[in-house]
Amino acid sequence: RHVRTGALTRIAPGLYLNPYCQRPPWALERLASHLRPDDHYYVSLEAVLFEHGLISQAPNRLTLMTSGRTYTYDTPLGIIEFVHTVRAPTNWRARTTFFQDRGIHVAHADLALEDLGHVGRNLDLVHAE
């Protein structure tokens, strides 16, 4: 009832946001953990390369490599894209950093570049070093 009146915004099944409150920090990362609680995943691809300054164009979505299936969620907070990887968590954990405040693993730049090539994304935006 509150969603219909606009008092609350439905973000995901069982998760709501007060549209009059400030968006929580790292909202997309925390939403990803709510959407895929049983999968192993880490932030990678364009999202990480932008954070490291290796691409200048800001991505329009949060991209994560996951052990689960590939899927894109379009939420009121932004777009979350999960991209399937066959890598086992034991193979990528050493090449990621877990950020407690974000609640998620984030790939190092070399892993993000490697992932970009594996999934066949455009490498033209990457700055040559």
Side-chain angles (χ1 to χ4, degrees), residues 11 15 17 22-35 62 64 75-80 101-104:
I11 297 176
L15 191 61
L17 177 71
Q22 184 177 357
R23 182 174 142 169
W26 307 111
L28 281 178
E29 283 90 344
R30 293 178 185 215
L31 179 56
S33 64
H34 178 78
L35 293 170
L62 176 68
L64 301 109
T75 73
L77 296 177
I79 301 170
I80 303 173
D101 58 338
R102 294 168 77 171
I104 202 164

Side-chain angles (χ1 to χ4, degrees), residues 42-45 47-49 51-52 54 92-99 105-116:
Y42 58 96
V43 180
S44 188
L45 303 172
V48 169
L49 295 174
E51 285 182 22
H52 287 285
L54 296 175
W92 56 256
R93 285 200 198 242
R95 298 173 68 191
T96 63
T97 303
F98 183 78
F99 288 94
H105 289 271
V106 178
H108 299 161
D110 61 327
L111 179 58
L113 279 169
E114 199 175 296
D115 288 338
L116 202 64

